[in-house]
Coordinates of all heavy atoms in Angstrom, one line a residue:
M1 N 17.1 18.6 -70.6 CA 18.0 18.8 -69.7 C 17.5 18.0 -68.3 O 16.4 18.3 -68.0 CB 18.4 20.1 -69.4 CG 19.3 20.3 -68.2 SD 19.9 21.9 -67.6 CE 18.7 23.1 -67.9
K2 N 18.4 17.3 -67.8 CA 18.0 16.7 -66.5 C 18.9 17.3 -65.4 O 20.1 17.4 -65.6 CB 18.3 15.2 -66.6 CG 18.1 14.4 -65.2 CD 16.6 14.5 -64.8 CE 16.5 13.7 -63.5 NZ 15.1 13.8 -62.9
R3 N 18.3 17.8 -64.4 CA 19.1 18.5 -63.4 C 18.9 17.7 -62.1 O 17.8 17.4 -61.7 CB 18.7 19.9 -63.1 CG 19.5 20.7 -62.2 CD 19.2 22.2 -62.2 NE 19.6 22.7 -63.4 CZ 19.3 23.8 -63.8 NH1 18.5 24.6 -63.2 NH2 19.8 24.3 -65.0
F4 N 20.0 17.4 -61.4 CA 20.0 16.5 -60.1 C 20.2 17.5 -59.0 O 21.0 18.4 -59.1 CB 21.1 15.5 -60.2 CG 20.8 14.4 -61.2 CD1 21.4 14.5 -62.5 CD2 20.1 13.3 -60.9 CE1 21.1 13.6 -63.4 CE2 19.8 12.4 -61.8 CZ 20.4 12.5 -63.1
E5 N 19.7 17.2 -57.8 CA 20.0 17.9 -56.5 C 21.5 17.5 -56.3 O 22.0 16.4 -56.6 CB 19.2 17.5 -55.4 CG 17.8 18.0 -55.5 CD 17.0 17.7 -54.3 OE1 17.4 18.0 -53.2 OE2 15.9 17.1 -54.4
R6 N 22.2 18.5 -55.8 CA 23.6 18.2 -55.5 C 23.7 17.2 -54.3 O 23.0 17.3 -53.3 CB 24.3 19.5 -55.1 CG 24.4 20.4 -56.3 CD 25.4 21.5 -56.1 NE 25.5 22.3 -57.3 CZ 25.4 23.6 -57.3 NH1 25.2 24.2 -56.2 NH2 25.6 24.2 -58.4
N7 N 24.9 16.5 -54.3 CA 25.2 15.6 -53.2 C 25.7 16.4 -52.0 O 26.0 17.5 -52.2 CB 26.3 14.7 -53.7 CG 26.0 13.7 -54.7 OD1 24.7 13.4 -54.9 ND2 26.9 13.3 -55.5
Q8 N 25.4 15.9 -50.9 CA 25.9 16.5 -49.6 C 27.4 16.9 -49.7 O 27.8 17.9 -49.1 CB 25.6 15.6 -48.4 CG 25.5 16.4 -47.1 CD 24.5 17.5 -47.0 OE1 23.4 17.4 -47.7 NE2 24.6 18.5 -46.3
S9 N 28.2 16.0 -50.4 CA 29.6 16.4 -50.5 C 29.9 17.6 -51.3 O 31.0 18.1 -51.3 CB 30.3 15.2 -51.2 OG 29.9 15.0 -52.5
H10 N 28.9 18.2 -52.0 CA 29.2 19.4 -52.7 C 29.1 20.6 -51.9 O 29.2 21.8 -52.3 CB 28.1 19.5 -53.8 CG 28.3 18.5 -54.9 ND1 27.5 18.4 -56.1 CD2 29.1 17.4 -55.1 CE1 27.8 17.4 -56.7 NE2 28.8 16.8 -56.1
Y11 N 28.8 20.4 -50.5 CA 28.6 21.5 -49.7 C 29.6 21.4 -48.5 O 30.0 20.3 -48.1 CB 27.2 21.6 -49.0 CG 26.2 21.8 -50.1 CD1 25.5 20.7 -50.6 CD2 25.8 23.0 -50.5 CE1 24.5 20.9 -51.6 CE2 24.8 23.2 -51.4 CZ 24.1 22.2 -52.0 OH 23.2 22.4 -52.9
E12 N 30.0 22.5 -47.9 CA 30.8 22.4 -46.7 C 30.1 23.3 -45.6 O 29.6 24.3 -45.9 CB 32.3 22.8 -46.9 CG 32.4 24.3 -47.5 CD 33.9 24.5 -47.9 OE1 34.7 24.2 -47.1 OE2 34.1 25.2 -48.9
K13 N 30.1 22.7 -44.4 CA 29.5 23.4 -43.3 C 30.5 24.3 -42.6 O 31.5 23.8 -42.1 CB 28.8 22.3 -42.3 CG 27.9 22.9 -41.3 CD 27.2 21.8 -40.6 CE 26.2 22.5 -39.7 NZ 25.3 21.5 -39.1
V14 N 30.1 25.5 -42.4 CA 30.9 26.5 -41.6 C 29.9 27.0 -40.5 O 29.1 27.7 -40.8 CB 31.4 27.6 -42.5 CG1 32.2 28.6 -41.6 CG2 32.2 27.1 -43.6
G15 N 30.2 26.5 -39.3 CA 29.2 26.8 -38.2 C 27.9 26.2 -38.5 O 27.8 25.0 -38.7
E16 N 26.8 26.9 -38.5 CA 25.5 26.5 -38.8 C 25.1 26.6 -40.2 O 24.0 26.2 -40.6 CB 24.5 27.1 -37.8 CG 24.6 26.8 -36.4 CD 24.4 25.3 -36.2 OE1 23.5 24.7 -36.7 OE2 25.3 24.7 -35.4
R17 N 25.9 27.1 -41.1 CA 25.5 27.4 -42.4 C 26.3 26.5 -43.4 O 27.4 26.1 -43.2 CB 25.9 28.9 -42.8 CG 25.1 29.9 -41.9 CD 25.5 31.3 -42.2 NE 25.0 31.6 -43.6 CZ 25.3 32.7 -44.3 NH1 26.1 33.5 -43.7 NH2 24.8 32.9 -45.4
L18 N 25.5 26.1 -44.5 CA 26.1 25.3 -45.5 C 26.5 26.3 -46.7 O 25.8 27.2 -47.1 CB 25.1 24.3 -46.1 CG 24.9 23.1 -45.3 CD1 23.8 22.3 -46.0 CD2 26.1 22.3 -45.2
F19 N 27.7 26.1 -47.1 CA 28.2 26.9 -48.4 C 28.6 25.9 -49.5 O 29.0 24.8 -49.3 CB 29.6 27.6 -47.9 CG 29.3 28.7 -47.0 CD1 29.3 28.5 -45.6 CD2 28.8 30.0 -47.4 CE1 29.1 29.5 -44.7 CE2 28.6 31.0 -46.5 CZ 28.8 30.8 -45.1
T20 N 28.2 26.4 -50.7 CA 28.5 25.6 -51.8 C 30.0 25.6 -52.2 O 30.6 26.6 -52.2 CB 27.7 26.0 -53.2 OG1 26.3 26.1 -52.7 CG2 27.8 25.2 -54.2
K21 N 30.5 24.5 -52.5 CA 31.9 24.4 -52.9 C 32.0 25.0 -54.3 O 31.2 24.7 -55.1 CB 32.5 23.0 -52.8 CG 32.6 22.5 -51.4 CD 33.2 21.1 -51.4 CE 33.3 20.6 -49.9 NZ 33.8 19.3 -49.9
I22 N 33.1 25.7 -54.7 CA 33.3 26.3 -55.9 C 33.1 25.4 -57.1 O 32.5 25.7 -58.1 CB 34.6 27.1 -56.0 CG1 34.6 28.2 -54.9 CG2 34.9 27.7 -57.3 CD1 33.5 29.2 -55.1
P23 N 33.8 24.2 -57.1 CA 33.7 23.4 -58.3 C 32.3 23.0 -58.7 O 31.9 22.9 -59.9 CB 34.5 22.1 -58.0 CG 35.5 22.6 -57.0 CD 34.8 23.6 -56.2
A24 N 31.5 22.7 -57.7 CA 30.1 22.3 -58.0 C 29.3 23.6 -58.6 O 28.5 23.4 -59.5 CB 29.4 21.9 -56.7
V25 N 29.5 24.7 -58.1 CA 28.9 25.9 -58.7 C 29.3 26.2 -60.0 O 28.5 26.6 -60.8 CB 29.2 27.2 -57.7 CG1 28.7 28.4 -58.3 CG2 28.7 27.0 -56.3
A26 N 30.6 26.0 -60.4 CA 31.1 26.3 -61.7 C 30.8 25.2 -62.7 O 31.1 25.3 -63.8 CB 32.6 26.5 -61.6
G27 N 30.1 24.1 -62.3 CA 29.8 23.0 -63.2 C 30.9 22.1 -63.4 O 30.9 21.3 -64.5
Q28 N 32.0 22.2 -62.6 CA 33.1 21.3 -62.8 C 32.8 19.9 -62.3 O 33.6 19.0 -62.5 CB 34.4 21.9 -62.2 CG 34.8 23.2 -62.8 CD 35.8 23.9 -62.0 OE1 36.2 23.5 -60.9 NE2 36.4 24.9 -62.6
V29 N 31.9 19.8 -61.4 CA 31.4 18.5 -60.9 C 30.1 18.1 -61.7 O 29.2 18.7 -61.6 CB 31.1 18.6 -59.4 CG1 30.7 17.2 -58.8 CG2 32.3 19.1 -58.7
L30 N 30.3 17.0 -62.5 CA 29.2 16.5 -63.3 C 28.7 15.2 -62.8 O 29.4 14.4 -62.2 CB 29.7 16.3 -64.7 CG 30.2 17.6 -65.4 CD1 30.8 17.2 -66.7 CD2 29.1 18.6 -65.5
P31 N 27.4 15.0 -62.9 CA 26.7 13.8 -62.4 C 27.0 12.6 -63.3 O 26.5 12.5 -64.4 CB 25.2 14.0 -62.4 CG 25.1 15.1 -63.5 CD 26.4 16.0 -63.5
V32 N 28.0 11.7 -62.8 CA 28.4 10.6 -63.8 C 28.0 9.2 -63.1 O 28.6 8.3 -63.1 CB 29.9 10.6 -63.9 CG1 30.3 11.8 -64.8 CG2 30.6 10.7 -62.6
S33 N 26.8 9.3 -62.4 CA 26.3 8.1 -61.8 C 25.0 7.6 -62.5 O 24.5 8.3 -63.4 CB 26.0 8.4 -60.3 OG 25.1 9.4 -60.2
R34 N 24.4 6.6 -62.1 CA 23.2 6.1 -62.6 C 22.0 6.9 -62.2 O 22.1 7.5 -61.1 CB 23.0 4.6 -62.2 CG 24.0 3.7 -62.8 CD 23.6 2.3 -62.6 NE 24.7 1.4 -63.1 CZ 24.7 1.0 -64.3 NH1 23.9 1.4 -65.2 NH2 25.7 0.2 -64.7
P35 N 20.9 7.0 -62.9 CA 20.7 6.4 -64.2 C 21.3 7.0 -65.3 O 21.7 8.2 -65.3 CB 19.1 6.5 -64.3 CG 18.8 7.8 -63.5 CD 19.8 7.8 -62.4
D36 N 21.6 6.1 -66.3 CA 22.3 6.6 -67.5 C 21.5 7.6 -68.2 O 20.2 7.6 -68.3 CB 22.6 5.5 -68.6 CG 23.5 4.4 -67.9 OD1 24.0 4.6 -66.8 OD2 23.6 3.3 -68.5
I37 N 22.1 8.5 -68.9 CA 21.4 9.7 -69.6 C 20.4 9.1 -70.7 O 19.4 9.6 -70.9 CB 22.3 10.8 -70.1 CG1 21.5 12.1 -70.5 CG2 23.1 10.2 -71.3 CD1 22.4 13.2 -70.7
D38 N 20.9 8.1 -71.4 CA 20.0 7.5 -72.5 C 18.8 6.8 -72.0 O 17.7 6.9 -72.5 CB 20.8 6.6 -73.4 CG 21.5 5.4 -72.6 OD1 21.9 5.6 -71.5 OD2 21.6 4.3 -73.2
N39 N 18.9 6.2 -70.7 CA 17.7 5.6 -70.1 C 16.8 6.7 -69.7 O 15.5 6.6 -69.7 CB 18.1 4.8 -68.8 CG 18.9 3.6 -69.3 OD1 18.8 3.1 -70.4 ND2 19.7 3.0 -68.4
Q40 N 17.2 7.9 -69.2 CA 16.4 8.9 -68.9 C 15.7 9.5 -70.1 O 14.4 9.9 -70.1 CB 17.1 10.0 -68.1 CG 17.7 9.6 -66.9 CD 18.6 10.7 -66.2 OE1 19.4 11.3 -66.8 NE2 18.5 10.7 -64.9
M41 N 16.4 9.7 -71.2 CA 15.7 10.1 -72.4 C 14.6 9.2 -72.9 O 13.5 9.6 -73.3 CB 16.8 10.2 -73.5 CG 16.4 10.4 -75.0 SD 15.4 11.8 -75.2 CE 14.9 11.7 -76.9
K42 N 14.8 7.9 -72.8 CA 13.9 6.9 -73.2 C 12.7 6.9 -72.4 O 11.6 6.9 -72.9 CB 14.5 5.4 -73.1 CG 13.6 4.3 -73.6 CD 13.4 4.5 -75.1 CE 12.5 3.3 -75.6 NZ 11.8 3.6 -76.7
T43 N 12.9 7.1 -71.1 CA 11.7 7.3 -70.2 C 10.9 8.5 -70.5 O 9.6 8.4 -70.6 CB 12.1 7.4 -68.7 OG1 12.9 6.2 -68.4 CG2 11.0 7.5 -67.7
A44 N 11.5 9.6 -70.7 CA 10.8 10.8 -71.0 C 10.1 10.7 -72.4 O 8.9 11.1 -72.6 CB 11.8 12.0 -71.0
A45 N 10.8 10.1 -73.4 CA 10.3 10.0 -74.7 C 9.0 9.1 -74.7 O 7.9 9.3 -75.3 CB 11.3 9.4 -75.7
D46 N 9.1 8.0 -74.0 CA 8.0 7.0 -73.8 C 6.8 7.7 -73.1 O 5.6 7.5 -73.5 CB 8.3 5.8 -73.1 CG 9.2 4.8 -74.0 OD1 9.3 5.0 -75.2 OD2 9.9 3.9 -73.4
A47 N 7.0 8.5 -72.2 CA 6.0 9.1 -71.4 C 5.2 10.1 -72.2 O 4.0 10.4 -71.9 CB 6.6 9.9 -70.2
L48 N 5.8 10.7 -73.3 CA 5.2 11.7 -74.1 C 4.5 11.1 -75.4 O 4.0 11.9 -76.2 CB 6.2 12.8 -74.5 CG 6.6 13.7 -73.3 CD1 7.7 14.7 -73.7 CD2 5.4 14.5 -72.8
N49 N 4.6 9.7 -75.5 CA 3.8 9.1 -76.6 C 2.4 9.4 -76.5 O 1.8 9.5 -75.4 CB 4.0 7.6 -76.5 CG 5.4 7.1 -77.1 OD1 6.1 7.9 -77.8 ND2 5.8 5.9 -76.9
R50 N 1.8 9.8 -77.6 CA 0.4 10.1 -77.7 C 0.0 11.3 -77.1 O -1.1 11.7 -76.9 CB -0.5 8.9 -77.4 CG -0.4 7.8 -78.3 CD -1.4 6.7 -78.0 NE -1.0 5.6 -77.2 CZ 0.1 4.8 -77.4 NH1 0.9 4.9 -78.4 NH2 0.4 3.7 -76.5
I51 N 1.0 12.1 -76.5 CA 0.8 13.4 -75.9 C 1.4 14.5 -76.9 O 0.7 15.4 -77.4 CB 1.3 13.6 -74.6 CG1 0.6 12.5 -73.7 CG2 1.3 15.0 -74.1 CD1 1.2 12.5 -72.3
M52 N 2.7 14.3 -77.2 CA 3.4 15.2 -78.1 C 3.7 14.7 -79.5 O 3.8 15.4 -80.4 CB 4.8 15.5 -77.4 CG 4.8 16.3 -76.2 SD 3.9 17.9 -76.3 CE 4.9 18.8 -77.6
W53 N 3.7 13.3 -79.6 CA 3.9 12.6 -80.8 C 3.1 11.3 -80.8 O 2.8 10.8 -79.7 CB 5.3 12.4 -81.2 CG 6.2 12.0 -79.9 CD1 6.1 10.8 -79.3 CD2 7.0 12.8 -79.2 NE1 6.9 10.8 -78.2 CE2 7.5 12.1 -78.1 CE3 7.5 14.2 -79.4 CZ2 8.4 12.6 -77.2 CZ3 8.4 14.6 -78.3 CH2 8.8 13.9 -77.3
N54 N 2.9 10.7 -81.9 CA 2.3 9.4 -82.0 C 3.1 8.3 -81.3 O 2.6 7.5 -80.5 CB 1.9 8.9 -83.4 CG 0.7 9.9 -83.9 OD1 -0.1 10.2 -83.2 ND2 0.8 10.1 -85.2
D55 N 4.4 8.3 -81.7 CA 5.3 7.3 -81.1 C 6.7 7.9 -81.1 O 7.0 8.8 -82.0 CB 5.3 6.0 -82.0 CG 6.1 5.0 -81.3 OD1 5.5 4.2 -80.6 OD2 7.3 4.9 -81.6
D56 N 7.5 7.6 -80.1 CA 8.8 8.2 -80.0 C 9.8 7.9 -81.2 O 10.8 8.4 -81.3 CB 9.5 7.9 -78.7 CG 9.6 6.4 -78.4 OD1 9.2 5.6 -79.2 OD2 10.3 6.1 -77.4
V57 N 9.4 6.9 -82.1 CA 10.1 6.7 -83.3 C 10.2 8.0 -84.2 O 11.2 8.2 -85.0 CB 9.5 5.5 -84.0 CG1 8.2 5.8 -84.7 CG2 10.6 5.0 -85.1
Q58 N 9.3 8.9 -83.9 CA 9.3 10.2 -84.6 C 10.3 11.2 -84.2 O 10.6 12.2 -84.9 CB 7.9 10.9 -84.5 CG 6.8 10.1 -85.2 CD 5.5 10.7 -84.9 OE1 4.9 10.5 -83.9 NE2 5.0 11.5 -85.9
I59 N 11.0 10.9 -83.1 CA 12.1 11.8 -82.7 C 13.4 11.6 -83.6 O 13.8 10.4 -83.7 CB 12.5 11.5 -81.2 CG1 11.3 11.7 -80.3 CG2 13.7 12.4 -80.8 CD1 11.4 11.3 -78.9
V60 N 13.8 12.6 -84.2 CA 15.0 12.5 -85.2 C 16.2 13.2 -84.7 O 17.3 13.1 -85.2 CB 14.6 13.0 -86.6 CG1 13.5 12.1 -87.1 CG2 14.1 14.4 -86.5
D61 N 16.1 14.1 -83.5 CA 17.3 14.8 -83.0 C 17.0 15.1 -81.6 O 15.9 15.2 -81.1 CB 17.3 16.1 -83.8 CG 18.6 16.9 -83.4 OD1 19.6 16.2 -83.1 OD2 18.6 18.1 -83.6
A62 N 18.1 14.9 -80.8 CA 18.0 15.2 -79.4 C 19.2 15.7 -78.8 O 20.4 15.3 -79.2 CB 17.6 13.8 -78.6
H63 N 19.2 16.6 -77.9 CA 20.4 17.2 -77.2 C 20.2 16.9 -75.7 O 19.2 17.4 -75.2 CB 20.5 18.7 -77.5 CG 21.6 19.2 -76.7 ND1 22.9 19.2 -77.1 CD2 21.7 20.0 -75.6 CE1 23.7 19.9 -76.3 NE2 23.0 20.3 -75.3
L64 N 21.1 16.2 -75.1 CA 20.9 15.7 -73.7 C 22.0 16.3 -72.9 O 23.2 16.3 -73.2 CB 20.9 14.2 -73.6 CG 19.9 13.5 -74.6 CD1 20.3 12.0 -74.5 CD2 18.5 13.8 -74.2
T65 N 21.7 16.8 -71.6 CA 22.7 17.3 -70.7 C 22.2 16.9 -69.3 O 21.0 16.7 -69.1 CB 22.9 18.8 -70.8 OG1 21.6 19.4 -70.4 CG2 23.4 19.2 -72.1
R66 N 23.1 16.7 -68.4 CA 22.8 16.4 -67.0 C 23.8 17.3 -66.2 O 25.0 17.4 -66.5 CB 23.2 14.9 -66.7 CG 22.2 14.0 -67.2 CD 22.6 12.6 -67.0 NE 23.5 12.3 -65.9 CZ 23.5 11.1 -65.2 NH1 22.8 10.1 -65.6 NH2 24.3 11.0 -64.2
R67 N 23.2 18.0 -65.3 CA 23.9 18.9 -64.4 C 23.3 18.8 -63.0 O 22.3 18.4 -62.8 CB 23.7 20.4 -64.9 CG 24.3 20.7 -66.3 CD 25.9 20.5 -66.3 NE 26.4 20.9 -67.5 CZ 26.8 20.0 -68.5 NH1 26.6 18.7 -68.3 NH2 27.3 20.4 -69.6
Y68 N 24.1 19.3 -62.0 CA 23.6 19.5 -60.7 C 23.0 20.8 -60.5 O 23.5 21.8 -61.2 CB 24.8 19.3 -59.7 CG 25.3 17.9 -59.4 CD1 26.5 17.6 -59.9 CD2 24.4 17.0 -58.8 CE1 26.9 16.2 -59.6 CE2 24.8 15.7 -58.7 CZ 26.0 15.3 -59.1 OH 26.4 14.0 -58.9
G69 N 22.0 20.9 -59.7 CA 21.3 22.2 -59.5 C 20.7 22.2 -58.1 O 20.7 21.3 -57.3
P70 N 20.1 23.3 -57.7 CA 19.5 23.5 -56.4 C 18.3 22.5 -56.2 O 18.1 22.1 -55.0 CB 19.0 24.9 -56.3 CG 19.0 25.4 -57.7 CD 19.9 24.6 -58.5
Q71 N 17.6 22.1 -57.2 CA 16.6 21.1 -57.1 C 16.5 20.2 -58.3 O 17.0 20.5 -59.4 CB 15.2 21.7 -56.9 CG 14.9 22.8 -57.8 CD 13.6 23.5 -57.5 OE1 13.1 24.3 -58.3 NE2 13.0 23.4 -56.3
S72 N 16.0 19.0 -58.2 CA 15.9 18.0 -59.2 C 14.9 18.4 -60.3 O 13.7 18.7 -59.8 CB 15.7 16.7 -58.7 OG 15.7 15.7 -59.7
M73 N 15.1 18.4 -61.5 CA 14.0 18.7 -62.5 C 14.4 18.1 -63.8 O 15.6 17.8 -64.1 CB 13.9 20.2 -62.6 CG 15.1 21.0 -63.3 SD 14.7 22.7 -63.6 CE 14.7 23.4 -62.0
T74 N 13.4 18.0 -64.7 CA 13.7 17.5 -66.1 C 13.0 18.6 -67.0 O 11.9 19.0 -66.7 CB 13.0 16.2 -66.4 OG1 13.6 15.3 -65.5 CG2 13.2 15.8 -67.8
V75 N 13.7 19.1 -68.0 CA 13.2 20.1 -68.8 C 13.3 19.5 -70.3 O 14.3 19.1 -70.7 CB 14.2 21.4 -68.9 CG1 13.6 22.4 -69.9 CG2 14.2 22.0 -67.5
I76 N 12.1 19.6 -70.9 CA 11.9 19.0 -72.3 C 11.4 20.1 -73.1 O 10.4 20.7 -72.9 CB 11.0 17.8 -72.2 CG1 11.5 16.7 -71.4 CG2 10.8 17.3 -73.7 CD1 10.6 15.6 -71.2
E77 N 12.1 20.4 -74.2 CA 11.7 21.3 -75.2 C 11.5 20.6 -76.5 O 12.3 19.9 -77.1 CB 12.8 22.4 -75.4 CG 12.4 23.5 -76.3 CD 13.5 24.6 -76.5 OE1 14.3 24.8 -75.5 OE2 13.6 25.2 -77.5
V78 N 10.3 20.8 -77.1 CA 9.9 20.1 -78.4 C 9.8 21.1 -79.4 O 9.0 22.1 -79.2 CB 8.6 19.2 -78.2 CG1 8.2 18.6 -79.5 CG2 8.8 18.2 -77.1
R79 N 10.5 21.0 -80.6 CA 10.3 21.9 -81.6 C 10.1 21.1 -82.9 O 10.7 20.0 -83.2 CB 11.6 22.7 -81.8 CG 12.0 23.5 -80.8 CD 13.3 24.3 -81.2 NE 14.2 24.4 -80.0 CZ 15.4 24.8 -80.1 NH1 16.0 25.0 -81.3 NH2 16.1 24.9 -79.0
P80 N 9.1 21.7 -83.7 CA 8.9 21.0 -85.1 C 10.1 21.3 -86.0 O 10.7 22.3 -85.9 CB 7.6 21.7 -85.6 CG 7.7 23.1 -84.9 CD 8.3 22.8 -83.5
L81 N 10.4 20.3 -86.9 CA 11.4 20.5 -87.9 C 10.9 21.1 -89.2 O 9.7 21.1 -89.5 CB 12.0 19.2 -88.2 CG 12.8 18.5 -87.1 CD1 13.3 17.2 -87.5 CD2 13.9 19.4 -86.6

């Protein structure tokens, strides 16, 4: 899973405080901008060559998601088949 920090447009300012807009909190606003999700997968898979597997050609299944969150992060879970 790749999580992106929310855009400033996902917040509204009331006085001195920022409040999250409901659609962003509910996951109704999805990151549909670059970089493409398949490019992010390739970067992560290549980075784990010779660490988790000999070569990323050994990957036979992947589930990819992109969401907005409070901080940017990448979560990779590796399971043997």
Side-chain angles (χ1 to χ4, degrees):
M1 171 177 36
K2 175 68 178 173
R3 185 169 292 165
F4 295 91
E5 288 186 55
R6 292 195 176 128
N7 294 333
Q8 200 62 27
S9 65
H10 295 183
Y11 298 94
E12 57 186 323
K13 192 169 185 175
V14 178
E16 292 298 314
R17 299 181 65 193
L18 280 178
F19 291 92
T20 307
K21 292 183 180 178
I22 296 300
V25 172
Q28 296 170 350
V29 178
L30 299 175
V32 291
S33 59
R34 295 193 184 272
D36 298 349
I37 195 168
D38 58 324
N39 292 340
Q40 293 173 323
M41 166 64 184
K42 183 67 176 155
T43 301
D46 286 343
L48 291 172
N49 280 345
R50 292 188 269 300
I51 297 171
M52 293 302 297
W53 39 73
N54 290 327
D55 190 87
D56 58 352
V57 70
Q58 294 175 278
I59 299 171
V60 296
D61 189 26
H63 176 80
L64 308 172
T65 60
R66 289 174 26 154
R67 298 290 184 264
Y68 285 114
Q71 47 185 199
S72 183
M73 69 172 71
T74 300
V75 177
I76 300 171
E77 183 177 333
V78 178
R79 294 185 216 165
L81 295 179

